Amino acid sequence: MTGGRSPGVIVAGMHRSSTSLVAAAFADCGYRLAPDLLPPAPDNPKGYFEDERMHVLHRRLLEAYDTAWDLSPRLRELRRDELRIPDHLHDATRELVDYYRSSGPWVWKNPRATLFLEEWARWFPEAIFVICVRSPAAVVDSMLRRDDRMRISTRRSFYRLRRRFRGLSIWRSYNLMAFRFVRHHPDRAVVVRIPRDVDVIQRTCGGDVVDRGLLRPPRRSVHWSAFLAWRCHLLHWRLRRCADPRRFEELLRAHSVNSSTGAQRA
């Protein structure tokens, strides 16, 4: 317990960065997930391990800022600011905060939470934030594999190329917000490198949680497009330098019960 509150973990990071895998690992190690999770889908066959109510809240948060997770022009504007939870969503937020604090240890994940890390740090002063970081090329390739259009019309010229570079722009917006938080709160942030630190999960939880076959390397065509995005690569390098695998493992083992969820996400 921290200050009379249940200890908890918030898993964040850019979409397609294995946040579901990491949340499943914490659940496997004894952290409590919400009972109502998003159902599995073709692109997440083993589940998202994401609280449905928290998912709806984050969609409403982005709508309040006139944006969405993949609306890169607006995200580029917003990443300059510290996003707060609007007053009209305080009651819904307080209900979720009280639910997680009712018993612990707990864990919840949401990629969209990456845009609101400073705000969640105020609502959950006892929480540790686990930030999943995956290479720009691997993330964009995963988005393309699940046919994310990123609000680009198929009628636009150079449609495929536009999708790649929009994906890179979204990656940079999310990870800039993450890096800003890690830099300001090194004591509250744990950076997890994907796929490198998946070995920590395998040591701690066993092979049932991890299926490395889902962690595909990027296709060559996407890799070369991403190669041009030097600012993304620089940011990726800076975030990876903040990783501490030993601290990640200690956090996983803190409440380990040696259970098995058999979950994975790429």
Side-chain angles (χ1 to χ4, degrees):
M1 304 293 286
T2 305
R5 302 186 178 114
S6 296
V9 168
I10 296 173
V11 180
M14 173 61 191
H15 300 261
R16 317 308 293 172
S17 295
S18 295
T19 55
S20 297
L21 165 61
V22 172
F26 277 102
D28 190 87
C29 289
Y31 289 77
R32 177 174 62 93
L33 284 168
D36 298 322
L37 303 177
L38 293 179
D43 58 298
N44 277 49
K46 294 191 177 181
Y48 292 88
F49 296 87
E50 186 169 319
D51 184 343
E52 189 169 7
R53 291 187 301 165
M54 194 66 79
H55 173 80
V56 171
L57 175 62
H58 279 89
R59 291 176 68 98
R60 294 177 67 190
L61 287 173
L62 292 182
E63 288 171 0
Y65 281 95
D66 194 28
T67 190
W69 77 268
D70 57 350
L71 193 58
S72 64
R74 179 63 174 148
L75 291 176
R76 285 197 299 270
E77 297 174 0
L78 294 174
R79 72 191 185 196
R80 307 187 189 102
D81 305 320
E82 184 179 305
L83 304 188
R84 307 295 292 266
I85 295 176
D87 291 344
H88 71 280
L89 292 176
H90 275 198
D91 288 344
T93 303
R94 175 57 62 189
E95 182 179 345
L96 282 166
V97 170
D98 290 344
Y99 165 74
Y100 279 100
R101 285 181 173 164
S102 64
S103 64
W106 50 263
V107 60
W108 63 263
K109 56 86 49 169
N110 195 292
R112 294 169 178 84
T114 313
L115 305 173
F116 297 89
L117 292 173
E118 290 285 356
E119 183 73 326
W120 285 122
R122 283 185 284 268
W123 285 84
F124 287 105
E126 71 279 15
I128 297 296
F129 292 77
V130 175
I131 311 296
C132 301
V133 178
R134 194 179 183 190
S135 76
V139 166
V140 172
D141 189 57
S142 184
M143 293 166 70
L144 297 178
R145 287 180 187 274
R146 73 172 185 180
D147 201 28
D148 285 332
R149 296 184 179 180
M150 290 166 272
R151 302 176 188 268
I152 300 175
S153 171
T154 56
R155 298 179 180 178
R156 295 288 299 274
S157 58
F158 304 107
Y159 167 67
R160 293 183 179 180
L161 193 60
R162 287 177 184 272
R163 288 171 71 208
R164 294 174 191 173
F165 284 103
R166 177 156 292 187
L168 291 167
S169 175
I170 298 168
W171 184 97
R172 189 162 183 267
S173 291
Y174 273 73
N175 284 284
L176 274 173
M177 300 287 269
F179 181 66
R180 183 190 306 167
F181 182 82
V182 171
R183 185 177 57 186
H184 291 169
H185 305 280
D187 57 325
R188 298 190 62 186
V190 176
V191 174
V192 177
R193 301 162 297 183
I194 303 296
R196 182 170 180 177
D197 292 336
V198 170
D199 289 343
V200 174
I201 297 175
Q202 288 184 307
R203 285 198 306 270
T204 309
C205 306
D208 290 341
V209 176
V210 177
D211 179 359
R212 284 187 175 270
L214 295 177
L215 295 170
R216 301 179 182 178
R219 289 167 291 185
R220 183 172 299 179
S221 59
V222 179
H223 173 80
W224 284 112
S225 298
F227 180 77
L228 301 174
W230 64 269
R231 290 185 298 179
C232 289
H233 291 289
L234 177 60
L235 178 58
H236 186 219
W237 175 76
R238 297 178 76 181
L239 272 166
R240 284 184 299 161
R241 291 189 66 197
C242 300
D244 187 344
R246 184 175 62 179
R247 191 172 170 214
F248 176 43
E249 184 168 353
E250 289 174 351
L251 189 61
L252 281 171
R253 293 186 183 279
H255 304 283
S256 180
V257 295
N258 295 318
S259 62
S260 179
T261 61
Q264 156 69 18
R265 186 57 214 120

